[in-house]
Amino acid sequence: MVSTRNHPSKFPPPSLSSSKPPSLPSSAPSTAWSHIPSTLTLLWLIVSLPLVIWDTAYVMLRPHSMPGGKFQSPIFTPYVLYGTVDYIYGWKAYNARNGFTAAQASLNAIETTGYIAYLWIVWRYGEGDRRALQGGWGGLAVLTGFALSVMTVSKTVLYGLNEYFSDFENIGHNDPMSLLFLWIIPNGAWLIFPTYMICVFAQDILQGLAIASGDFTSKPAKVAGSSKDE
């Protein structure tokens, strides 16, 4: 008979003290999400918002803001020249009852109100020197900024397409240099900077969704994370 007297009578229960919760991949970024307004975004809004308000006021106050009107000088004097460059802002469109000018200005008013709301959220709820926003206010700020930036770019593209499909009815009379410096460059700024803002806000949105879902490995999550870290 085989002896078993040296064999332990009972096996000890497995120890649970050494078990560890699953850890995130070593490449996972911090799980604390925040929105930090970019310096270029804030500078662009500070510069562009007064110009858009001025432009909207000119359109909404027509014909009083046009040459000969009671509000024309000195506030709207530069539009005397611009109305000859872009007929959408001149007497031709006004006398023809062209509704595109006022429709665009109405969207400008909505955009401006939204951008002012974004700046107010940043100023009121942002923390630290960089005005970092977390939680619901951070999410609201990013959503507002992204939606308005897409709106600005879309409206500006529509403005150009309106000219293209009307055979450049309102700007085709200009010489190339006048068209470049008085129409293309000024309007192009409302394509370049809002497009940059779309990218910045989109990175924040992607990063927040990646953190919420625990996705740190997909290509969109990596792009958003690396962009934010830079």
Side-chain angles (χ1 to χ4, degrees):
M1 179 180 292
V2 178
S3 174
T4 58
R5 58 186 176 181
N6 293 328
H7 195 283
S9 60
K10 293 183 180 180
F11 290 99
S15 175
L16 301 177
S17 60
S18 60
S19 61
K20 296 181 181 180
S23 59
L24 294 174
S26 59
S27 59
S30 170
T31 56
W33 178 88
S34 65
H35 166 60
I36 300 177
S38 74
T39 301
L40 185 57
T41 295
L42 296 178
L43 289 176
W44 168 247
L45 292 179
I46 291 172
V47 171
S48 65
L49 286 182
L51 295 176
V52 175
I53 293 172
W54 180 45
D55 185 83
T56 304
Y58 168 81
V59 173
M60 294 305 186
L61 291 173
R62 293 177 308 164
H64 304 296
S65 57
M66 302 177 77
K70 58 184 177 181
F71 300 135
Q72 188 269 326
S73 181
I75 300 175
F76 300 111
T77 299
Y79 281 93
V80 176
L81 171 62
Y82 195 73
T84 64
V85 173
D86 187 348
Y87 290 157
I88 278 288
Y89 281 81
W91 284 108
K92 179 181 178 180
Y94 182 79
N95 291 332
R97 308 296 292 175
N98 190 322
F100 182 82
T101 318
Q104 176 195 236
S106 299
L107 292 179
N108 284 345
I110 296 174
E111 285 179 24
T112 300
T113 303
Y115 282 132
I116 291 175
Y118 170 79
L119 291 176
W120 181 81
I121 292 173
V122 170
W123 174 80
R124 176 66 177 81
Y125 296 101
E127 298 178 352
D129 294 337
R130 302 184 65 186
R131 311 308 299 168
L133 290 158
Q134 296 181 344
W137 287 112
L140 180 60
V142 171
L143 181 62
T144 300
F146 180 78
L148 292 172
S149 300
V150 172
M151 184 178 180
T152 301
V153 171
S154 301
K155 180 175 60 64
T156 307
V157 170
L158 178 64
Y159 188 68
L161 290 177
N162 180 64
E163 286 300 313
Y164 177 79
F165 287 110
S166 64
D167 199 23
F168 301 100
E169 179 182 3
N170 298 295
I171 62 172
H173 60 282
N174 292 284
D175 63 85
M177 294 303 292
S178 297
L179 189 63
L180 175 64
F181 287 102
L182 297 177
W183 197 86
I184 295 177
I185 292 178
N187 286 288
W190 269 263
L191 284 175
I192 296 173
F193 292 102
T195 298
Y196 161 81
M197 291 165 60
I198 289 174
C199 295
V200 171
F201 287 124
Q203 289 170 4
D204 272 347
I205 292 172
L206 286 174
Q207 188 193 43
L209 292 174
I211 292 174
S213 64
D215 174 18
F216 303 105
T217 58
S218 68
K219 187 173 182 179
K222 289 180 178 180
V223 170
S226 61
S227 300
K228 291 293 291 181
D229 291 341
E230 293 172 0

